[in-house]
Amino acid sequence: MKNKDKLIYRCKTCGSQTFKWMGRCPDCGDWDSLVQERQVSKPAGNSGSLLTAEPVPIDSVKTSRSLRICTGMSEFDRVLGGGVVDGSLVLIGGDPGIGKSTLMLQVLSALAQSGKTCLYVSGEESIRQLSMRGQRLEKGCCPSLLIVSETNLDAIAAMMAKTAYDAVVIDSIQTVFQPDVNSTPGSVTQIREAAMRFMHLAKSSGTPIFLVGHVTKVGAIAGPRIMEHMVDTVLYFEGDKSHVFRILRAVKNRFGSTNEIGVFEMREKGLVEVPNPSAVFLAERTSVAPGSVVTACMEGTRPILVEIQGLVSTSSLGNPRRTVLGLDIQRVALIVAVMEKRLGMNLSGLDLFMNVTGGVRIVEPSADLAIAAALAASFLDKPVPGNTTLIGEIGLTGEIRAVSHAQARIKEAAKMGFTTCLVPASALKQLSKVRGMTIESVRFLKEAMEVLFGS
């Protein structure tokens, strides 16, 4: 019987497929996301003839740490785990206009300045637009940085086969199309085929390839999740457009840690690295304002001091407002409940506002004590001493629990001029003295409030 092509409908968001059109995807629930595709049936062949590689013992494979390429941008290299790995496939996502193209153009420019031959493939901008952007950036133009405007996957593969490039950027993966695939550019099938093709090109040639990807309205990279599984590293470029700071974060990294972040500042001449984020985030802090508290959070191996602001005010609404920026709103609600139960503060009928300055987002529980202190300071209209920083997790019974890397957090606070640090009593035995820093231990939330504001 002759094989026939089948018509299927595939979701643009999650990649699931159905045999009939539906207004809503049955898996992810997105509306009007199913697009028609033609599935080509291929006859089964002899699998024995496809064997092209022989298995080898794992201990016989020789590896070298010199396979990493340093880009010259320390913040970018930090997130990757020390540099770009030869033959790696890196996916970079972020909101439109956040600076993904600017970042990658600067990375290739830095590599070109060191003598590498790099290729920037743009499917959204012309070469004239790319040249104008390179001239605007500081050190953005170099003869060994080649640019081209192309979306045909076969043409891009031919360019890479003709010249041995040290690094290639594809901006963006949603604009690249495979001519043999009967689907529109940006569809699930095209993105999957393009990602698979680039993966083979990277592994076979040893050239690191960076794929720039757009994100959907829910913050995920557009296209099937299988694309994130195929690549070696997934980076997210985050930040609020109203703030000048941008954070590069790794959510998957086969060659390094996923806890490291890189901090950049957007300026007129492009992105500038921020080697000391603590000094930048605390530059405009007012130490005598009620509701302002400083805590030390860990981003990978780097401690960063951030300012948490809390505001408690009377409410004119039937349901008081709870506005939280940069923190987990469920975590804040938990801390408010503990404060009402263990401290007797009646916050249920008041408006509560929380903010982390600089556009930073804190997800670890070590900031619990600082959140509670910021709300209590605004409620009592008493400022927390400006030279004090707080570290600790709050339990449901009001106890203050220990956090990881407490010694590194305290050293960072001392370096920034803080003289007092409130820590959990259970962590005191593991800490050594830090010059110029007075360490005070507390066991319960009530004790911390008495130390900060008196009885």
Side-chain angles (χ1 to χ4, degrees), residues 105-333:
L105 189 58
Q106 289 187 226
V107 169
L108 289 194
S109 299
L111 288 173
Q113 293 286 341
S114 62
K116 306 293 184 181
T117 303
C118 305
L119 176 65
Y120 191 102
V121 181
S122 176
E124 301 175 348
E125 297 178 282
S126 64
I127 57 175
R128 183 169 299 183
Q129 291 174 317
L130 289 174
S131 178
M132 292 173 60
R133 176 178 294 181
Q135 293 174 7
R136 177 176 58 86
L137 301 177
E138 188 175 3
K139 299 180 181 180
C141 294
C142 185
S144 58
L145 173 56
L146 307 180
I147 58 176
V148 65
S149 180
E150 183 59 69
T151 57
N152 192 315
L153 184 55
D154 291 339
I156 298 173
M159 295 177 197
M160 295 181 61
K162 183 178 179 180
T163 305
Y165 296 102
D166 295 299
V168 177
V169 169
I170 309 298
D171 186 9
S172 66
I173 185 64
Q174 280 85 5
T175 62
V176 178
F177 72 96
Q178 173 70 37
D180 298 337
V181 178
N182 186 19
S183 183
T184 58
S187 64
V188 174
T189 304
Q190 287 283 6
I191 293 176
R192 186 178 63 247
E193 293 295 330
M196 183 66 71
R197 183 78 175 275
F198 284 124
M199 182 184 69
H200 287 303
L201 289 173
K203 304 306 178 186
S204 60
S205 64
T207 303
I209 301 177
F210 298 90
L211 305 178
V212 178
H214 300 307
V215 297
T216 61
K217 58 184 178 181
V218 296
I221 296 179
R225 302 291 294 185
I226 191 174
M227 183 173 64
E228 297 187 13
H229 298 320
M230 287 189 292
V231 301
D232 299 312
T233 305
V234 180
L235 306 178
Y236 274 92
F237 205 37
E238 306 170 350
D240 192 346
K241 293 181 182 179
S242 59
H243 292 87
V244 296
F245 299 111
R246 304 287 189 268
I247 296 177
L248 184 66
R249 189 186 306 273
V251 296
K252 174 188 176 182
N253 192 356
R254 290 174 177 166
F255 311 111
S257 172
T258 58
N259 297 322
E260 299 289 351
I261 68 166
V263 183
F264 299 86
E265 181 180 357
M266 179 63 78
R267 294 183 182 177
E268 182 180 357
K269 293 186 178 181
L271 294 165
V272 179
E273 298 177 82
V274 180
N276 189 2
S278 299
V280 177
F281 293 146
L282 301 180
E284 301 180 10
R285 176 175 177 258
T286 303
S287 59
V288 295
S292 173
V293 180
V294 174
T295 186
C297 61
M298 293 296 298
E299 294 291 351
T301 58
R302 168 194 286 181
I304 299 178
L305 297 185
V306 294
E307 178 186 2
I308 296 180
Q309 295 178 338
L311 178 62
V312 179
S313 63
T314 56
S315 178
S316 59
L317 304 174
N319 294 324
R321 288 172 291 183
R322 300 289 188 267
T323 303
V324 179
L325 300 176
L327 298 167
D328 184 5
I329 190 171
Q330 301 298 333
R331 191 90 192 165
V332 174

Side-chain angles (χ1 to χ4, degrees), residues 6 10 30 32 35 85 137 162 185 194 201 205 209 217 223 262 266 279 305 355 368 396 399 407 426 430 434:
K6 297 180 180 179
R10 194 182 298 273
D30 275 9
D32 196 23
V35 294
V85 178
L137 301 177
K162 183 178 179 180
L201 289 173
S205 64
I209 301 177
K217 58 184 178 181
M266 179 63 78
L305 297 185
N355 179 43
D368 289 357
L396 292 180
E399 79 277 13
Q407 188 72 31
S426 57
Q430 305 174 359
V434 178

Side-chain angles (χ1 to χ4, degrees), residues 405-423:
H405 303 93
Q407 188 72 31
R409 300 173 197 257
I410 296 174
K411 288 183 178 180
E412 179 69 14
K415 186 174 68 174
M416 295 304 300
F418 290 85
T419 58
T420 305
C421 183
L422 248 63
V423 301

